[in-house]
Amino acid sequence: MPAPYEIVYDHTCLLGEGPVWDDQRQSIIWVDILNGHIHEYHEPTQTHQSYDSHDMVGTVGLTRDGNFIAALSNGIVLMDRKNGRIQPVAHPESTLIGNRYNDGKPDPSGRFWVGSMSLKEEKGAGSLYRIDHDHSVHRMINKVSISNGLAWDVERNLFYYIDTLTSVVMAYDYDPATGDISRPRVVIRIPEKEGYPDGMTIDSEGKLWIAHWAGWKVSRWDPFSGRQLQSFSLPAAKITSCCFGGQGLSDLYITSARKGLSAEQIEQQPHAGALFVIRNCGSKGFAPFRYH
Ligand code: CA
């Protein structure tokens, strides 16, 4: 069905990604990866601000003290929101100059997970890492092509993961005490005609919401039956990620991209790169986990 979407803020990103709802501030945060910008839109006052990372920024998460953990191409850092001061945390790919970090999030126990990819999208060149409280780095999955969507089902101790070029969602058993994952299995297959799975979030019923790159939509899936339950069309081909936010966590925020579109395509998709929201989308999510 066509989504009753709104455009949150009159701005288009080259590669909008990684929306995260800051429930303490009632702000939606997202990144423009290739321009290195972190955007924040404060819903109660309808004001926008942005932070310049002076680097590429693959993803940003929140910390328990209200600041950012960000995946720059120069490493994973803590970033002070007031003064932009940066403190290095880890840089597992410091020797892989052909790679950059991509999607990532804090997990239910406050560790930070972040994946990587080749800048040339070379197959199997990336990995998924877990960074613990002591800043130790653990490679969780290797030979990843484009590391993307991450979601945890806290009730069932599951971890869901998307390596975009596989066109599937994997599930793992997740141990919140150790952060380990085990027993990988395919739970969802995205048909080729629906584009590629990119970012992902989970709702309060354990269903997965997936952004379709080159698929013009977000969709809701049951990971236990593998079935698509709902889909919402959007006015941009490259839909990149989604998260729940707003009052009651019932609004779905959706990022998009204009990277790689021709002038003609941009004319047809003037909102490509915008942040969309579907208010009261029919499901609700969780406040984001925070790194600590
Ligand atoms: Ca992505």
Side-chain angles (χ1 to χ4, degrees):
M1 64 182 276
Y5 68 86
E6 293 169 25
I7 291 164
V8 176
Y9 172 66
D10 184 21
H11 171 83
T12 52
C13 292
L14 188 55
L15 181 52
E17 272 283 2
V20 53
W21 175 250
D22 185 339
D23 52 314
Q24 290 175 358
R25 284 165 69 139
Q26 300 286 300
S27 290
I28 182 74
I29 293 158
W30 69 108
V31 296
D32 189 348
I33 295 182
L34 302 174
N35 285 322
H37 297 151
I38 302 169
H39 293 278
E40 175 171 4
Y41 184 80
H42 184 237
E43 285 281 9
T45 57
Q46 302 185 344
T47 50
H48 170 262
Q49 64 174 313
S50 65
Y51 308 79
D52 190 349
S53 73
H54 305 286
D55 194 349
M56 282 188 277
V57 55
T59 190
V60 67
L62 294 163
T63 62
R64 193 183 268 179
D65 67 5
N67 286 304
F68 293 145
I69 181 163
L72 309 183
S73 51
N74 283 323
I76 314 306
V77 301
L78 295 170
M79 187 185 290
D80 190 303
R81 278 164 93 158
K82 280 192 219 77
N83 55 25
R85 198 172 52 86
I86 274 172
Q87 187 191 328
V89 172
H91 195 358
E93 296 202 338
S94 58
T95 59
L96 299 177
I97 52 167
N99 277 13
R100 70 164 171 84
Y101 299 109
N102 201 40
D103 207 339
K105 288 174 184 175
D107 81 358
S109 303
R111 306 175 187 91
F112 188 64
W113 295 55
V114 64
S116 65
M117 61 181 279
S118 152
L119 287 161
K120 293 181 183 153
E121 302 189 3
E122 190 188 321
K123 275 196 157 181
S127 294
L128 177 69
Y129 301 96
R130 189 189 82 213
I131 298 163
D132 290 355
H133 313 290
D134 60 1
H135 298 189
S136 61
V137 173
H138 307 265
R139 189 201 301 248
M140 306 307 289
I141 303 174
N142 62 12
K143 295 198 166 69
V144 172
S145 296
I146 304 181
S147 189
N148 261 313
L150 309 147
W152 288 265
D153 182 326
V154 173
E155 205 176 309
R156 299 171 186 85
N157 286 331
L158 297 172
F159 169 63
Y160 295 107
Y161 179 63
I162 292 171
D163 175 357
T164 289
L165 295 189
T166 65
S167 289
V168 303
V169 180
M170 301 294 296
Y172 296 76
D173 293 345
Y174 166 71
D175 183 339
T178 62
D180 289 338
I181 53 173
S182 56
R183 230 168 54 83
R185 61 267 185 194
V186 173
V187 288
I188 292 166
R189 290 178 192 279
I190 307 291
E192 205 181 311
K193 63 180 191 313
E194 298 189 30
Y196 290 93
D198 193 338
M200 171 168 64
T201 193
I202 190 165
D203 69 29
S204 61
E205 295 174 4
K207 306 298 194 285
L208 298 173
W209 290 73
I210 296 171
H212 293 240
W213 176 270
W216 301 85
K217 64 178 183 179
V218 289
S219 57
R220 181 177 188 242
W221 296 75
D222 181 345
F224 297 97
S225 68
R227 290 207 184 106
Q228 188 173 146
L229 304 172
Q230 273 175 295
S231 83
F232 295 95
S233 306
L234 292 153
K238 294 176 173 177
I239 300 302
T240 54
S241 192
C242 56
C243 80
F244 288 95
Q247 292 209 339
L249 294 160
S250 58
D251 301 337
L252 189 73
Y253 288 92
I254 301 153
T255 49
S256 66
R258 57 172 52 210
K259 171 187 177 259
L261 297 184
S262 67
E264 192 186 347
Q265 287 170 316
I266 286 177
E267 207 167 295
Q268 290 159 354
Q269 304 173 42
H271 302 305
L275 176 71
F276 304 105
V277 63
I278 303 172
R279 306 263 180 216
N280 297 308
C281 69
S283 298
K284 58 183 196 173
F286 300 94
F289 305 118
R290 288 172 180 259
Y291 179 75
H292 58 88

